[in-house]
Amino acid sequence: SANAWATAEADSGVEFIEVAFDGQHRMSGLDIVESFNPGAISKVELILAGGGRAVVEVGATATRQSALRRRIDFACTEQAVVGVRVTLDSSAVPDWNEIDAIGGRPCGG
């Protein structure tokens, strides 16, 4: 997708993307759409309103599909979440890796 975030180079090693959410929300899950060569995500961290971080997923799930919607569920956060950092190991899945969307799911939603 021309609108997706892509790694700087194909198979360039560890890279990350940080996104901020519109507002602060307690969350109980994330959805990440990997639109091209999914499976290179190695870690997902919540960025909390107080400045801390919370790791909610570790470990790549190498796959060779055209797209993958990754659903990450976790207990409702005690602090509001203001963003997320997604780390990819682009060498885990050959070629370019792209993320098309990152969305949070509020507690009770």
Side-chain angles (χ1 to χ4, degrees):
S1 169
N3 297 316
W5 174 85
T7 52
E9 297 179 21
D11 309 324
S12 61
V14 177
E15 295 186 46
F16 67 88
I17 179 174
E18 282 190 7
V19 297
F21 294 121
D22 185 19
Q24 301 179 12
H25 311 279
R26 292 178 59 213
M27 293 186 182
S28 61
L30 293 170
D31 293 299
I32 303 172
V33 178
E34 299 173 79
S35 55
F36 190 66
N37 293 326
I41 293 175
S42 59
K43 182 166 58 170
V44 179
E45 300 170 83
L46 302 177
I47 302 170
L48 305 173
R53 293 178 185 252
V55 175
V56 293
E57 185 168 272
V58 177
T61 310
T63 182
R64 286 294 289 187
Q65 301 176 20
S66 58
L68 174 70
R69 178 177 170 227
R70 180 183 300 258
R71 180 181 173 101
I72 303 169
D73 296 309
F74 46 86
C76 182
T77 59
E78 291 185 23
Q79 293 184 48
V81 177
V82 296
V84 65
R85 178 180 179 142
V86 178
T87 303
L88 292 89
D89 179 0
S90 66
S91 61
V93 178
D95 207 356
W96 299 94
N97 308 106
E98 294 183 359
I99 294 179
D100 195 53
I102 300 172
R105 281 183 273 116
C107 299

